[in-house]
Amino acid sequence: MNSSSLEITENQYCIKLSKDTFDLSLVRQLIKRIQAEELFFNRRNESLDDDIISRNSSEYDENFDRLEEK
């Protein structure tokens, strides 16, 4: 029987796995995978924000006259 549990609170996630069922190398692989995906999605969100900002600024440049040009 697989005895594992997941507890989610406001500030943390607690995963309990049975030593008989899950070896330490698998747990380390899971942690590395979670950290890698977290890093990937954080970088992806940051680049999306930059793209939106740059797109918006270029739209304003095309639609409005600048005082310097007058």
Side-chain angles (χ1 to χ4, degrees):
M1 182 175 177
N2 189 2
S3 61
S4 59
S5 67
L6 171 65
E7 180 183 341
I8 300 173
T9 65
E10 186 176 328
N11 296 324
Q12 61 184 331
Y13 304 113
C14 181
I15 302 171
K16 294 182 181 181
L17 305 171
S18 170
K19 283 186 178 181
D20 297 334
T21 308
F22 299 95
D23 64 343
L24 191 55
S25 64
L26 175 66
V27 174
R28 287 182 179 152
Q29 288 175 355
L30 290 172
I31 291 171
K32 286 180 183 179
R33 173 77 185 258
I34 291 168
Q35 289 172 335
E37 287 187 11
E38 181 183 12
L39 181 63
F40 171 77
F41 284 112
N42 285 342
R43 286 184 180 174
R44 184 174 172 205
N45 288 338
E46 288 173 4
S47 68
L48 286 177
D49 290 342
D50 292 342
D51 289 344
I52 291 171
I53 292 169
S54 64
R55 271 188 271 150
N56 287 341
S57 66
S58 66
E59 288 176 6
Y60 291 126
D61 288 342
E62 293 175 3
N63 294 331
F64 294 103
D65 292 333
R66 295 186 180 265
L67 187 57
E68 298 166 350
E69 297 173 357
K70 304 261 179 199

